[in-house]
Amino acid sequence: MKRMVKVLLTLGLLLLVLSGCGKKSTQGKDYVKIYDHQNHLLKKLTTAKSIRYFSDYVGDAAGSDTQTNANQKIDDKISKAKVSYKYLMHQAKGDVNSTMTVYSNVKYGSVDNIAGFGKANFKMSDKAFKTFNHPKQLIKKLEK
């Protein structure tokens, strides 16, 4: 329970940090890069709408759906999972990078480089699983 509180506080901090990304994105300094399972860059998103979408998702999903590293079953599932896409979120202020990884065979995601915690795993909703495993559709939505 103590660890869960710590994770939720850390994820809240991450949301605050990433929410600042949207304000600077018009200058092209903040971005989200989308990579496939072979680490090939698919797209670099720099719009405020894109930055806000990812910071909101990571904060909301990891905060509300959180079943974190305290749950060994999730760690076991993720250790055997197949990476489908990685979403690198960069904030120019403080030169902060966090990466959200999604998997093709399990409905979990992970976010690394969370200040003071390291990595958190979380369960994805069916909608989020579909969205983040089809980034071309997501890119079209964000670029409208």
Side-chain angles (χ1 to χ4, degrees):
M1 184 64 169
K2 194 177 191 182
R3 187 171 171 102
M4 181 63 110
V5 171
K6 186 176 180 180
V7 169
L8 291 175
L9 290 173
T10 303
L11 290 172
L13 177 63
L14 176 65
L15 176 62
L16 289 173
V17 168
L18 290 177
S19 66
C21 291
K23 295 174 185 155
K24 303 273 186 195
S25 64
T26 57
Q27 297 175 4
K29 295 181 181 180
D30 299 333
Y31 56 82
V32 174
K33 288 184 176 180
I34 304 172
Y35 295 91
D36 67 12
H37 69 283
Q38 296 176 330
N39 283 328
H40 294 120
L41 179 64
L42 300 177
K43 186 73 174 181
K44 180 179 178 180
L45 303 170
T46 58
T47 65
K49 179 180 178 181
S50 299
I51 304 299
R52 204 170 22 260
Y53 180 87
F54 282 93
S55 65
D56 288 350
Y57 176 76
V58 169
D60 291 348
S64 64
D65 288 342
T66 300
Q67 295 183 22
T68 61
N69 292 350
N71 186 337
Q72 188 62 41
K73 291 179 184 179
I74 293 175
D75 287 344
D76 292 342
K77 287 181 181 182
I78 287 180
S79 70
K80 298 170 187 168
K82 295 178 183 176
V83 172
S84 56
Y85 295 96
K86 292 184 180 183
Y87 296 84
L88 178 118
M89 296 163 279
H90 173 79
Q91 180 183 4
K93 183 177 180 183
D95 195 25
V96 177
N97 289 321
S98 292
T99 303
M100 179 177 71
T101 303
V102 296
Y103 306 94
S104 60
N105 60 334
V106 295
K107 291 185 179 177
Y108 292 96
S110 61
V111 180
D112 71 357
N113 198 26
I114 299 172
F117 184 73
K119 183 175 183 176
N121 301 321
F122 57 93
K123 185 172 178 144
M124 300 180 85
S125 68
D126 290 340
K127 182 179 179 181
F129 179 78
K130 184 179 177 182
T131 298
F132 290 107
N133 274 292
H134 295 91
K136 290 179 183 176
Q137 294 172 356
L138 177 60
I139 291 166
K140 284 181 187 177
K141 173 184 170 180
L142 294 172
E143 289 184 333
K144 285 184 181 179

